[in-house]
Amino acid sequence: MTAKPNRLALRRILLAEDDESMRGFLDRALTRAGYEVVSFNNGVDALERLTEEPFTLLLTDIVMPRMDGIELARRASELDPDLKIMFITGFAAVTLNNSSEAPNDARVLSKPFHLKDLVNEVEMLLDA
């Protein structure tokens, strides 16, 4: 089980996105907004890192090879029930709504989105 985030680590984001350009775009935007971002191109590696250190938010694409974002979120919330989860997807949110495995309190941000919208959604989720 991962350690609980302390007050110094309240802005740590674990990012899982298989599209390299999108991952870089998200990483840079969130870093500029003051977040510490650790990013991976697949859910397997992201989950492994989550077992090693605490994060405040999991930001994950839904459709990825090796392990999709819904499975990643399910496993991540088992490791850390306090972890906030946000999905980003280019597909309709229906994919998430039909999944009984997705965490109930997860948020969904549909691509394309503006950087300001991403940062606002992250801030609202972390403040909740």
Side-chain angles (χ1 to χ4, degrees):
M1 180 170 221
T2 61
K4 298 289 183 218
N6 62 32
R7 294 181 67 76
L8 298 174
L10 291 177
R11 298 180 66 85
R12 297 196 75 225
I13 297 174
L14 180 61
L15 171 63
E17 166 63 66
D18 62 319
D19 181 277
E20 184 177 349
S21 60
M22 177 61 81
R23 187 173 61 254
F25 175 75
L26 297 171
D27 192 324
R28 284 188 302 277
L30 292 166
T31 298
R32 285 185 191 137
Y35 294 96
E36 178 185 346
V37 181
V38 179
S39 60
F40 293 92
N41 65 0
N42 67 78
V44 173
D45 292 342
L47 183 63
E48 183 177 321
R49 179 51 87 65
L50 185 61
T51 65
E52 299 168 358
E53 58 186 290
F55 289 89
T56 313
L57 171 69
L58 169 63
L59 179 62
T60 181
D61 192 4
I62 291 178
V63 180
M64 295 185 295
R66 296 183 66 196
M67 179 188 298
D68 68 34
I70 294 172
E71 179 67 13
L72 170 59
R74 185 187 66 75
R75 291 185 184 190
S77 62
E78 288 173 356
L79 286 171
D80 182 356
D82 296 328
L83 182 69
K84 306 281 186 171
I85 297 171
M86 181 182 291
F87 294 103
I88 47 177
T89 183
F91 297 93
V94 173
T95 304
L96 179 61
N97 293 338
N98 290 336
S99 174
S100 60
E101 294 184 18
N104 291 335
D105 55 351
R107 297 251 178 106
V108 178
L109 188 59
S110 296
K111 297 174 191 173
F113 49 81
H114 191 276
L115 284 180
K116 186 170 105 175
D117 296 330
L118 169 68
V119 172
N120 287 341
E121 285 292 324
V122 166
E123 288 177 359
M124 285 191 310
L125 184 58
L126 294 181
D127 289 343

